[in-house]
Amino acid sequence: MFLKFLFKQRTPQFALGEDVKLRYLGPSDARAFRDHIHELHFEDFRDRFNGLVSDDWLDRYIARSLNEAIVIGAFEDDHLVAVAELHTGGQIEPGQGESAFSVASDWRHKGLGTILLKALLRAASENDISTIIVETGGQNQAMKALARRFGARMQLAGDQSVGRINVAEGLRLAGRHVAKQNYPVPLPVGEAPEMANPLS
């Protein structure tokens, strides 16, 4: 399923204005990914992992993600400021992917999570994933609001809030939100036509 993804060029593929670029991350980005996670404020770190984790656990998680999942990073110059992940396999049903997001604390509430989710929707569509699962702590209001914006119905499951985004519907809503709220639209950078426009 992910052969298309694995052989895509790992060069910048989107630009947000002149400040932020998005691209796929691979194993060589492990250090930047780790540094990004360690820069999160305590509350944001807790929201991302639903608690605290050790450095050893984090290193194993990063290695597994960069080798097995679709991972998109947002960079300000060479500094990684946000990451979106889409995991499949294991106990996740075929045709579904489980998402994860982390946005640098100083970059929160600026629309970057929205842009990353649009890019993740496009990546899911290109890899025959019809449903994105969003699971976050019940206290993570920003993530729950973002998921609802793209059609998820968030429900409590213990101390977690879980929802599902229909990829086709999410892409439709992404286009509508851009038209009505004037979100910045990623522009193509380099040669990656299959992901050049995550809203089409």
Side-chain angles (χ1 to χ4, degrees), residues 53-150:
V53 299
S54 70
D55 284 345
D56 287 342
W57 185 94
L58 183 61
D59 285 343
R60 291 193 299 272
Y61 174 85
I62 288 171
R64 185 173 64 251
S65 297
L66 294 176
N67 281 284
E68 299 177 7
I70 293 175
V71 184
I72 300 172
F75 290 82
E76 180 189 32
D77 296 323
D78 294 328
H79 185 209
L80 183 62
V81 297
V83 175
E85 308 161 45
L86 190 61
H87 298 264
T88 61
Q91 298 181 352
I92 302 171
E93 295 183 12
Q96 298 188 4
E98 186 170 314
S99 65
F101 296 85
S102 55
V103 178
S105 302
D106 293 341
W107 282 82
R108 290 171 64 86
H109 311 297
K110 296 182 180 180
L112 189 50
T114 300
I115 296 300
L116 281 169
L117 182 50
K118 292 172 189 173
L120 211 60
L121 284 164
R122 168 56 68 188
S125 176
E126 292 178 346
N127 286 280
D128 302 319
I129 297 171
S130 59
T131 302
I132 291 179
I133 302 167
V134 179
E135 183 173 344
T136 188
Q139 77 283 355
N140 193 345
Q141 300 300 326
M143 188 66 241
K144 291 191 290 185
L146 177 61
R148 289 191 186 103
R149 190 175 302 145
F150 292 93

Side-chain angles (χ1 to χ4, degrees), residues 2 13 16 19 42 45 49 53 67-68 78 88 105 119 121 130 144-145 148 167 180 183 186 199:
F2 288 112
Q13 297 181 18
L16 306 181
D19 298 325
F42 174 80
F45 185 100
F49 294 103
V53 299
N67 281 284
E68 299 177 7
D78 294 328
T88 61
S105 302
L121 284 164
S130 59
K144 291 191 290 185
R148 289 191 186 103
V167 170
K180 288 188 176 182
Y183 288 125
L199 304 181

